[in-house]
Amino acid sequence: MTTQPLDRTPSPSKPSISWKQWALPLSVGLIVVFCLAPALWQLLTSFKTNEAIAAIPTVYFPSEFTLEHYQELFERRPFFNYMLNSFVVATLSTVLALGLGSPAAYALARLRLQGESILVGAILVVTLFPPILLFLGLLNVVQALNLGNNYLSLILPYAAINLPLTILVMRSFFQQLPRDLEDSAKVDGYSTVGLLLNIVLPLTLPALATTGILAFITAWNEFIFALTFITAEPMKTIPVAASQLGGASIFEVPFGPIAAATVLGTLPLVLLVLFFQRQIIRGLTSGAVKG
């Protein structure tokens, strides 16, 4: 009598899911929710009715949406002028910072200057200073030059604040460019200015886009200087105008119009970053290779 051999091959077990496989997506999801929750709350509040905003318990997702708060912004205040003022000031200060910072960064990257390391270190230290330290000095300058209620009282300080960061970022990019390319351009008859405008700057567009957007956002969101140096109602910028929105009485806080003003003030920055996102990523990753 023969016996059949026992089949001792182990039965396939169900694959176990390691905690590391779900911990990372869960962490990323929580971080995204944590970062976007305030923006989503402002967006929903701007579309809520006044009854939903004042309701107790809090209404997180309203069942009824309205554009009343946005209409109120443009009917009661010249909000389009505020947006235009912010755009003009931020754009001109950014162009000025890039126009002055790029040649300075190119000189630091290519010329052998005495005390170059000390100069670069001083520029780095200046970037760490909060702009509020310049407030009293700038106030005296604005009063002495009679620049109150003048766009120059904002454009020049914003450009000066963004200038050190522009120099450091652009210098890092200029150092990565091969010198042979510049030598070949000089052989072809390019001057230093022509070389910088026609050869070097087009190759550093990611750096220009990254630095320009950072400078633009800084100028767009600045509040203290804009609140102090500009008091004329038609010349105010968005942060100041949004902070001065009032209700029908001193005891009423217009949460809806404030949320709408916040959304309108943030939307151009979001669109700008989304439009230049590739250049920003290239600029940040390339600029981190070599300092």
Side-chain angles (χ1 to χ4, degrees), residues 42 49 67 125 129 134 148 204 206 211 217 231 267 274 277:
Q42 289 291 93
T49 61
L67 295 176
V125 171
F129 287 172
L134 307 174
T204 57
T211 310
I217 292 175
T231 57
L267 185 60
L274 292 178
Q277 59 179 336

Side-chain angles (χ1 to χ4, degrees), residues 225-245:
F225 294 167
L227 176 65
T228 308
F229 300 156
I230 301 293
T231 57
E233 187 67 27
M235 299 181 64
K236 292 181 179 179
T237 57
I238 285 183
V240 177
S243 68
Q244 295 179 347
L245 290 175

Side-chain angles (χ1 to χ4, degrees), residues 7-165:
D7 187 6
R8 296 184 178 182
T9 56
S11 58
S13 59
K14 296 183 179 180
S16 59
I17 300 177
S18 174
W19 65 272
K20 295 182 179 180
Q21 296 179 354
W22 56 264
L24 180 59
L26 180 61
S27 302
V28 172
L30 291 177
I31 293 175
V32 171
V33 171
F34 178 79
C35 295
L36 295 182
L40 180 60
W41 177 256
Q42 289 291 93
L43 180 63
L44 292 176
T45 303
S46 67
F47 291 105
K48 290 180 182 179
T49 61
N50 291 326
E51 292 76 11
I53 294 176
I56 298 176
T58 303
V59 176
Y60 293 98
F61 296 96
S63 58
E64 181 182 356
F65 294 89
T66 180
L67 295 176
E68 176 185 356
H69 305 308
Y70 291 93
Q71 295 174 355
E72 184 178 351
L73 282 180
F74 292 95
E75 291 176 357
R76 295 180 54 187
R77 294 289 188 92
F79 205 80
F80 180 78
N81 289 344
Y82 301 150
M83 298 182 66
L84 184 61
N85 294 336
S86 295
F87 178 79
V88 170
V89 170
T91 300
L92 293 180
S93 63
T94 300
V95 171
L96 184 60
L98 293 177
L100 296 177
S102 297
Y106 182 75
L108 288 176
R110 288 294 184 256
L111 301 180
R112 295 182 179 179
L113 304 175
Q114 293 183 354
E116 178 183 351
S117 59
I118 298 177
L119 181 59
V120 174
I123 296 174
L124 179 60
V125 171
V126 171
T127 60
L128 303 178
F129 287 172
I132 192 63
L133 295 179
L134 307 174
F135 176 72
L136 291 180
L138 286 175
L139 181 59
N140 294 330
V141 172
V142 169
Q143 291 176 345
L145 298 179
N146 195 22
L147 290 178
N149 290 327
N150 192 316
Y151 288 133
L152 289 178
S153 62
L154 299 181
I155 294 173
L156 296 179
Y158 292 169
I161 291 172
N162 291 316
L163 192 58
L165 178 63

Side-chain angles (χ1 to χ4, degrees), residues 157-283:
Y158 292 169
I161 291 172
N162 291 316
L163 192 58
L165 178 63
T166 302
I167 294 175
L168 291 178
V169 175
M170 295 303 299
R171 174 178 174 268
S172 175
F173 273 81
F174 288 145
Q175 288 178 332
Q176 299 177 41
L177 296 179
R179 292 180 179 268
D180 296 339
L181 182 64
E182 301 174 24
D183 295 337
S184 300
K186 291 180 180 179
V187 171
D188 292 337
Y190 279 94
S191 62
T192 303
V193 177
L195 172 65
L196 182 62
L197 295 178
N198 299 317
I199 304 297
V200 177
L201 288 181
L203 294 176
T204 57
L205 285 180
L208 289 173
T210 302
T211 310
I213 289 175
L214 293 177
F216 187 91
I217 292 175
T218 301
W220 183 278
N221 292 329
E222 202 281 326
F223 177 75
I224 297 297
F225 294 167
L227 176 65
T228 308
F229 300 156
I230 301 293
T231 57
E233 187 67 27
M235 299 181 64
K236 292 181 179 179
T237 57
I238 285 183
V240 177
S243 68
Q244 295 179 347
L245 290 175
S249 65
I250 60 175
F251 303 103
E252 180 184 354
V253 179
F255 292 105
I258 291 176
T262 304
V263 172
L264 290 178
T266 308
L267 185 60
L269 301 181
V270 174
L271 296 178
L272 185 67
V273 172
L274 292 178
F275 185 78
F276 290 101
Q277 59 179 336
R278 292 186 178 180
Q279 287 78 5
I280 295 174
I281 295 174
R282 288 174 56 192

